[in-house]
């Protein structure tokens, strides 16, 4: 670990290394130390891989305030920004700017290029095809051998097929697209595998964007091609945006599907409630609770303060790193009664699982719609579905940006 010159020696004892570990016996809960600290204060310092000590924001009120505060920036070029790792820090000036790393007007510009594709109308138009691909994949599971691994059989393919349809990837290329998208996601994938997959996708998407400049359709690649045609962005930037959407929306939704199945297997009464629900509002509420309870984004949304900010009895100084940790915020006992209880009928529980404010997840409606279809369909069509292993023994993704499962063996 690098030296700790940024903090006084007597303070170091109190500063835990981040990310923290979850407890083996509570695999769905945020790490015990984070919950204990959050019970006392809404933010505290943690030490990350480079020895720096950004603030970890864990309180529900504090996180909502800072998600919406223009005095915190997502610009990863600013000194003090808490990078995920050395690779991200060393490539910061090589990566094109994007919706994730821009503030203010620049961010609005990127964001506007995406929002058209994620309108209620476009998302709803995909509902029938999400139901169809879900049914096809469940047919294949039922026709195949037991046990089946739900991760490659259901969780990963549905979001990638849906995003490829939304982007406008021709059906004939969907398999290639899915293969590249999955490259970095297997248990033993290296950073090179992930980079090779992302590189192949960016190249593929750049070609598709060029095609759609000439021959536009009703899809996201055509929306981006229109901006390229108007001279607003380069083909490279457009391809980067499209690849970013895929990366942000693929593994996240897949993890949420797998973890939801695992969590519900421990709560048969709640599983039945979701399986038997016919009212779309009840299904929607159940999915919101699963998003709150599982809060899969586990290594925090990264920011840097550009002005001093007083919050939760502390002063965040300009230049301090800030990590917005949605899982403890979604388990904040000041906000939710019995936060550790998965209660699909919980009322009035708006969560921050998709973030909040300007950078709030662009794909939230799409992810919700997929979950509202995949989960009840799975439990209705395979009512005897059960896990092969006890939940505590499942291979959880402790080491990834988004929490999830590498494998989920089921039988029926
Ligand atoms: C369960 C599934 C998902 C979860 C939990 C999730 C979570 C999040 C969170 C917490 C953020 C906020 C980032 C920040 O404030 O720094 C975010 C942003 C984003 N998400 Fe998602 N997401 C999911 C699915 C999707 C899907 C399906 C898509 C698209 C197909 C998507 C695309 C994006 C994009 C483009 C952003 C950046 C928005 C911006 O910076 O303005 N996400 N997501």
């Amino acid at each position: 670990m690098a030296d700790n010159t940024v903090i006084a020696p007597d303070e170091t004892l109190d500063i835990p290394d981040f990310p923290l570990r979850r407890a083996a016996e509570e695999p769905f809960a945020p790490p015990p130390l984070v919950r204990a600290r959050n019970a006392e204060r809404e933010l505290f310092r943690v030490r990350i891989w480079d020895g720096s000590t950004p603030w970890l924001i864990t309180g529900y009120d504090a996180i909502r305030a800072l998600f919406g505060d223009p005095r915190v920036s997502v610009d990863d070029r600013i000194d003090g920004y808490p990078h995920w790792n050395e690779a991200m820090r060393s490539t910061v000036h090589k990566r094109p700017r994007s919706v994730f790393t821009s503030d203010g007007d620049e961010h609005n510009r990127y964001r506007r290029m995406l929002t058209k594709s994620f309108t209620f109308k476009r998302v709803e138009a995909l509902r029938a095809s999400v139901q169809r691909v879900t049914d096809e994949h469940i047919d294949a599971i039922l026709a195949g051998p037991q046990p089946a691994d739900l991760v490659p059989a259901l969780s990963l393919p549905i979001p990638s097929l849906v995003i490829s349809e939304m982007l406008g990837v021709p059906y004939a290329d969907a398999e290639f697209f899915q293969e590249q998208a999955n490259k970095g996601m297997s248990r033993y994938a290296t950073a090179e595998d992930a980079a090779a997959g992302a590189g192949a996708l960016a190249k593929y998407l750049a070609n598709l964007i060029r095609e759609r400049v000439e021959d536009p359709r009703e899809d996201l690649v055509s929306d981006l091609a229109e901006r390229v045609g108007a001279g607003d962005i380069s083909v490279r930037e457009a391809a980067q945006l499209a690849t970013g959407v895929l990366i942000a929306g693929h593994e996240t939704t897949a993890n949420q599907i797998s973890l939801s199945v695992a969590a519900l297997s421990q709560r048969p009464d709640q599983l039945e409630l979701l399986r038997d629900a016919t009212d779309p509002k009840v299904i929607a509420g159940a999915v919101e609770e699963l998003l709150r309870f599982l809060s899969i984004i586990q290594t925090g949304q990264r920011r840097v303060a550009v002005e001093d900010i007083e919050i939760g009895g502390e002063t965040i100084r300009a230049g301090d790193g800030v990590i917005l940790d949605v899982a403890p915020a979604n388990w904040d006992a000041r906000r939710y009664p019995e936060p550790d209880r998965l209660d699909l009928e919980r009322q009035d529980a708006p969560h921050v699982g998709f973030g909040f404010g300007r950078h709030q997840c662009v794909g939230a409606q799409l992810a919700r719609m997929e979950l509202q279809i995949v989960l009840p369909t799975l439990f209705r069509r395979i009512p005897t579905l059960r896990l092969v292993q006890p939940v505590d023994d499942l291979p959880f993704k402790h080491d990834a940006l988004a929490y999830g499962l590498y494998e989920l063996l089921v039988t029926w």
Side-chain angles (χ1 to χ4, degrees):
M1 182 168 293
D3 71 48
N4 294 324
T5 46
V6 277
I7 40 170
D10 57 334
E11 285 177 16
T12 60
L13 290 175
D14 205 23
I15 299 183
D17 286 341
F18 183 82
L20 287 113
R21 288 193 71 78
R22 293 175 195 257
E25 64 283 7
E26 282 186 309
F28 302 115
L33 185 71
V34 176
R35 292 174 66 197
R37 288 271 174 108
N38 187 38
E40 290 162 18
R41 47 215 280 226
E42 293 201 66
L43 64 162
F44 53 92
R45 284 196 186 264
V46 288
R47 185 179 299 104
I48 61 169
W49 63 278
D50 62 354
S52 66
T53 55
W55 292 96
L56 187 72
I57 318 299
T58 53
Y60 181 86
D61 289 339
I63 212 170
R64 295 232 326 177
L66 291 179
F67 262 128
D69 193 325
R71 294 172 297 174
V72 291
S73 166
V74 294
D75 190 338
D76 51 3
R77 297 167 301 187
I78 298 177
D79 274 352
Y81 181 93
H83 290 278
W84 271 278
N85 50 41
E86 177 56 37
M88 290 299 276
R89 182 169 68 183
S90 61
T91 52
V92 69
H93 292 288
K94 293 187 192 137
R95 278 179 269 128
R97 309 311 300 155
S98 80
V99 69
F100 303 100
T101 53
S102 54
D103 298 311
D105 289 345
E106 192 189 13
H107 174 250
N108 284 341
R109 180 174 152 260
Y110 285 123
R111 180 114 186 170
R112 271 202 305 268
M113 293 180 199
L114 296 177
T115 39
K116 187 172 163 196
S117 309
F118 291 93
T119 53
F120 183 76
K121 195 173 144 223
R122 285 259 187 111
V123 169
E124 286 305 302
L126 291 170
R127 218 171 241 281
S129 69
V130 173
Q131 185 68 62
R132 180 179 43 77
V133 292
T134 302
D135 279 319
E136 283 167 8
H137 282 76
I138 294 174
D139 289 343
I141 291 171
L142 286 168
Q146 298 196 38
D149 181 357
L150 273 194
V151 174
L154 188 76
S155 309
L156 278 171
I158 307 290
S160 87
L161 284 168
V162 173
I163 298 175
S164 67
E165 185 166 342
M166 161 168 257
L167 284 166
V169 172
Y171 191 71
D173 297 340
E175 201 170 313
F176 159 83
F177 191 80
Q178 201 177 332
E179 220 172 85
Q180 302 307 318
N182 281 339
K183 262 204 174 137
M185 289 179 200
S186 75
R187 192 167 186 182
Y188 304 105
T190 60
E192 287 79 46
D193 295 333
L201 285 170
K203 204 167 148 200
Y204 172 84
L205 286 165
N207 285 332
L208 194 61
I209 289 163
R210 284 191 200 95
E211 272 175 36
R212 296 288 156 84
V213 173
E214 305 304 325
D215 178 18
R217 321 239 168 111
E218 270 271 299
D219 55 43
L220 175 48
V221 167
S222 300
D223 296 345
L224 293 171
E226 196 184 323
R227 311 316 317 161
V228 172
D232 293 344
I233 43 168
S234 64
V235 169
R236 183 166 177 253
E237 272 179 302
Q240 168 89 2
L241 269 176
T243 319
V245 166
L246 172 76
I247 292 169
H250 180 200
E251 199 184 356
T252 42
T253 313
N255 287 334
Q256 181 71 33
I257 295 171
S258 306
L259 285 181
S260 298
V261 173
L264 286 166
S265 76
Q266 291 193 309
R267 292 292 311 273
D269 59 322
Q270 300 293 293
L271 190 154
E272 264 170 46
L273 196 147
L274 179 58
R275 186 193 63 206
D276 300 341
T278 47
D279 181 349
K281 280 207 193 94
V282 173
I283 297 173
V287 164
E288 289 315 292
E289 172 66 352
L290 286 162
L291 287 160
R292 180 198 72 81
F293 185 77
L294 296 166
S295 297
I296 57 169
I297 306 296
Q298 64 176 353
T299 55
Q301 299 310 129
R302 307 291 166 114
R303 305 285 196 267
V304 57
V306 290
E307 285 178 41
D308 291 356
I309 303 166
E310 302 286 336
I311 190 155
E314 303 282 356
T315 306
I316 300 177
R317 299 270 173 218
D320 281 353
V322 172
I323 302 180
L324 303 165
D325 195 358
V326 296
N330 277 338
W331 280 53
D332 189 335
R334 302 171 194 93
R335 176 65 186 77
Y336 304 100
E338 296 185 81
D340 52 346
R341 198 159 65 87
L342 177 65
D343 172 7
L344 299 189
E345 293 171 293
R346 203 179 274 277
Q347 299 292 319
D348 180 30
H351 60 80
V352 287
F354 288 120
F356 182 69
R358 307 174 69 104
H359 287 271
Q360 185 166 29
C361 182
V362 127
Q365 292 314 327
L366 180 65
R368 285 180 168 123
M369 183 267 276
E370 290 178 53
L371 294 161
Q372 289 164 10
I373 291 174
V374 173
L375 293 170
T377 305
L378 175 69
F379 297 129
R380 270 177 217 145
R381 294 209 43 206
I382 318 184
T384 54
L385 187 89
R386 58 186 189 281
L387 307 194
V388 169
Q389 288 166 287
V391 162
D392 295 358
D393 296 343
L394 293 174
F396 287 97
K397 294 184 176 178
H398 288 290
D399 45 358
L401 293 187
Y403 197 46
L405 283 163
Y406 287 109
E407 182 183 80
L408 184 60
L409 297 179
V410 295
T411 186
W412 54 91

